[in-house]
Amino acid sequence: MRIAVLRDYQSLSERAAALVSARIGKKPTAVLGLATGSTPLGLYRELVKAAQRGLVDFSGVTTFNLDEYYPIERESPQSYYYYMQQHFWGPLGICPGRAHIPDGRAGDIAGVCSDYEQKIMDAGGIDLQILGIGVNGHIGFNEPGAALSAKTHLASLSAETIAANSRFFEDRDAVPRRAISMGLGTIMKAREILLLASGSEKARAIGETVRGKLTTEVPASLLQAHPRVTVMVDRAAACCLR
Ligand code: PGA
């Protein structure tokens, strides 16, 4: 694992955007795995700025999001579809056929999940997967104890995740209890992974991910077994790494 500690959230976002842009510069048809939540917002803002200045070109890029709540309507402001439209696909004008996210409205969940895996394979696999991390070490909605080899599946949110995500909803009861998420197996197949974390509330999870033992109880610790991972954190999130 390569560890990069940046001064603050803005520096983290700029450095992450530079890494993503460099990969697209090298491979204009790159396939990106994307995350939602608060952490990658700065990265997306910087990438949109860079694209508007002509410094990076997303026209050949294909994207696959990690997860989506289930059930949820796309038009719901809490859906990850809505988030992506708002912060990334919309401003970049990414063509809908190239921007993929699990369908949180689907009736046939098993079909949606296997179809999503197939689409990733048909696109040639994920070149660069961007990840955030939960306070409990989750990646995507792969909560502690998740199966190592899991593919895209219907996952149950842990109590900690429901509490953390309730800030985006009216209250805790309004948070969907389930989500369609890439599995740990899907994530580990990405050729490169960029994990981002900001703020002291992520420090323990980052410490366990980087320095702890490899265990499904801290899903992000599995990244220790991946050959090409960069963990990019700000100082506050790095305080357990000293
Ligand atoms: P956050 O979420 O970026 O909103 O902190 C990260 C996660 O839960 O994976």
Side-chain angles (χ1 to χ4, degrees), residues 178-198:
R178 294 183 296 174
I180 299 175
S181 178
M182 285 186 196
L184 293 175
T186 323
I187 293 170
M188 290 295 279
K189 269 195 282 183
R191 287 185 268 279
E192 180 177 8
I193 293 176
L194 172 61
L195 175 73
L196 303 175
S198 165

Side-chain angles (χ1 to χ4, degrees), residues 64-65 67-68 74 80-81 84 89 99-103 116:
F64 287 91
N65 268 76
D67 46 26
E68 176 62 285
R74 292 192 151 171
Y80 289 156
Y81 180 94
M84 291 308 297
W89 301 333
H100 305 277
I101 188 163
D103 189 349
Y116 205 62

Side-chain angles (χ1 to χ4, degrees), residues 19-50:
L19 187 151
V20 174
S21 299
R23 298 301 183 265
I24 296 171
K26 246 189 173 163
K27 184 177 178 185
T29 59
V31 178
L32 301 182
L34 299 179
T36 47
S38 304
T39 311
L41 282 174
L43 161 65
Y44 296 150
R45 193 182 52 233
E46 292 304 317
L47 286 175
V48 168
K49 261 200 274 178

Side-chain angles (χ1 to χ4, degrees), residues 52-74:
Q52 284 165 350
R53 290 181 188 146
L55 302 174
V56 58
D57 177 8
F58 279 87
S59 61
V61 170
T62 300
T63 69
F64 287 91
N65 268 76
L66 270 173
D67 46 26
E68 176 62 285
Y69 288 115
Y70 182 85
I72 201 154
E73 292 299 322
R74 292 192 151 171

Side-chain angles (χ1 to χ4, degrees), residues 208-236:
E208 290 174 346
T209 295
V210 174
R211 302 261 189 264
K213 52 179 191 196
L214 196 158
T215 166
T216 54
E217 287 310 311
V218 182
S221 68
L222 297 179
L223 302 177
Q224 291 175 19
H226 190 285
R228 201 169 177 214
V229 176
T230 303
V231 175
M232 229 179 243
V233 293
D234 61 12
R235 280 186 192 151

Side-chain angles (χ1 to χ4, degrees), residues 67-83 101-107 109 141 154 157 165 168-169 174-180:
D67 46 26
E68 176 62 285
Y69 288 115
Y70 182 85
I72 201 154
E73 292 299 322
R74 292 192 151 171
E75 302 71 33
S76 162
Q78 284 86 20
S79 80
Y80 289 156
Y81 180 94
Y82 188 94
Y83 169 113
I101 188 163
D103 189 349
R105 309 161 300 179
I109 296 174
F141 278 112
L154 186 63
L157 277 60
N165 291 10
F168 299 113
F169 291 82
V175 182
R177 269 32 187 177
R178 294 183 296 174
I180 299 175

